[in-house]
């Protein structure tokens, strides 16, 4: 099923229908992503796919699962040369739905997959935005910076202080006299 913006889902209904959902949206549709990019590249395309189905969990019980993929490019600032760098983000994640926050809290430590609370109005767009934000590198940078990176800072007005005398030199002299 083709969408532009990720829809709100009735998870159980989507799993029963087994509709593969996909779409392309612009970054400008996501407020937090626009804040992260400082309002740049709102026209960049964010491509997403989502599939909800019913599969067994690790205990063999039927569970609702979501497979989500997202691909986009966000402009960032290279932390090495301080120039602009386009960061490609790829998300490919599986989530298992549980009945409540309490169940999610209880099972979170025991399972490897990420847990979400099942809902009749699950906000897929918010999940897409969360996953893109979490996939961004902590320190964005070019593979090879397009400009030579200056590794030392020099201030022509800075004078190196004269070498200070060792504060224990007086004690050494006293010890030598004794």
């Amino acid at each position: 099923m083709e969408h532009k913006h990720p829809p709100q889902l009735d998870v159980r209904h989507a799993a029963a229908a087994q509709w593969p959902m996909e779409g392309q949206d612009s970054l400008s549709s996501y407020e937090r992503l626009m804040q992260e990019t400082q309002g740049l590249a709102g026209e960049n395309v964010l491509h997403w796919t989502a599939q909800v189905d019913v599969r067994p969990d690790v205990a063999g019980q039927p569970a609702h699962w979501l497979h989500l993929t997202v691909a986009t490019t966000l402009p960032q600032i290279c932390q090495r040369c301080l120039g602009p760098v386009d960061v490609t983000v790829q998300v490919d994640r599986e989530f298992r739905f549980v009945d409540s926050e309490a169940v999610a809290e209880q099972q979170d430590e025991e399972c490897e997959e990420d847990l979400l609370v099942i809902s009749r109005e699950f906000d897929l767009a918010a999940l897409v935005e969360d996953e893109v934000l979490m996939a961004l590198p902590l320190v964005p940078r070019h593979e090879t910076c397009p400009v030579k990176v200056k590794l030392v800072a020099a201030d022509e007005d800075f004078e190196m202080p004269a070498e200070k005398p060792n504060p224990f030199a007086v004690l050494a002299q006293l010890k030598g006299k004794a």
Side-chain angles (χ1 to χ4, degrees):
M1 183 178 289
E2 184 73 33
H3 298 272
K4 181 177 179 178
H5 194 69
Q8 290 207 336
L9 297 176
D10 177 334
V11 174
R12 287 183 176 93
H13 181 72
Q18 291 193 347
W19 294 321
M21 295 168 276
E22 69 177 294
Q24 290 191 19
D25 205 354
S26 64
L27 288 181
S28 62
S29 298
Y30 301 88
E31 183 179 332
R32 293 179 295 151
L33 291 177
M34 291 309 298
Q35 288 172 352
E36 180 66 30
T37 64
Q38 300 173 3
L40 300 174
E43 72 282 352
N44 281 16
V45 174
L46 181 142
H47 183 266
W48 60 271
T49 65
Q51 174 75 46
V52 182
D53 59 5
V54 178
R55 295 183 261 153
D57 61 13
V58 291
Q61 299 300 313
H64 293 82
W65 291 79
L66 169 65
H67 181 225
L68 176 70
T69 66
V70 184
T72 192
T73 302
L74 280 85
Q76 299 278 282
I77 299 297
C78 174
Q79 297 301 299
R80 198 175 324 172
C81 70
L82 301 178
V85 59
D86 286 335
V87 175
T88 301
V89 176
Q90 299 279 340
V91 174
D92 189 350
R93 304 276 313 271
E94 294 266 333
F95 301 90
R96 181 169 55 92
F97 288 96
V98 295
D99 290 329
S100 68
E101 286 289 340
V103 173
E105 229 175 86
Q106 175 191 5
Q107 293 183 11
D108 189 40
E109 295 294 322
E110 304 164 6
C111 64
E112 292 182 23
E113 68 272 9
D114 288 318
L115 303 176
L116 300 170
V117 177
I118 202 163
S119 169
R120 297 186 79 177
E121 295 179 357
F122 181 76
D123 191 351
L124 185 58
L127 179 64
V128 165
E129 188 172 37
D130 288 346
E131 291 303 312
V132 170
L133 287 168
M134 289 191 297
L136 286 172
L138 293 175
V139 180
R141 62 179 182 236
H142 295 101
E143 221 25 68
T144 304
C145 291
V147 297
K148 187 175 179 182
V149 178
K150 189 175 180 181
L151 298 177
V152 294
D155 185 353
E156 294 174 12
D157 296 332
F158 181 76
E159 293 179 21
M160 288 294 290
E163 199 169 314
K164 293 182 180 180
N166 185 339
F168 297 102
V170 174
L171 291 175
Q173 288 174 355
L174 290 174
K175 185 178 179 185
K177 291 180 181 178

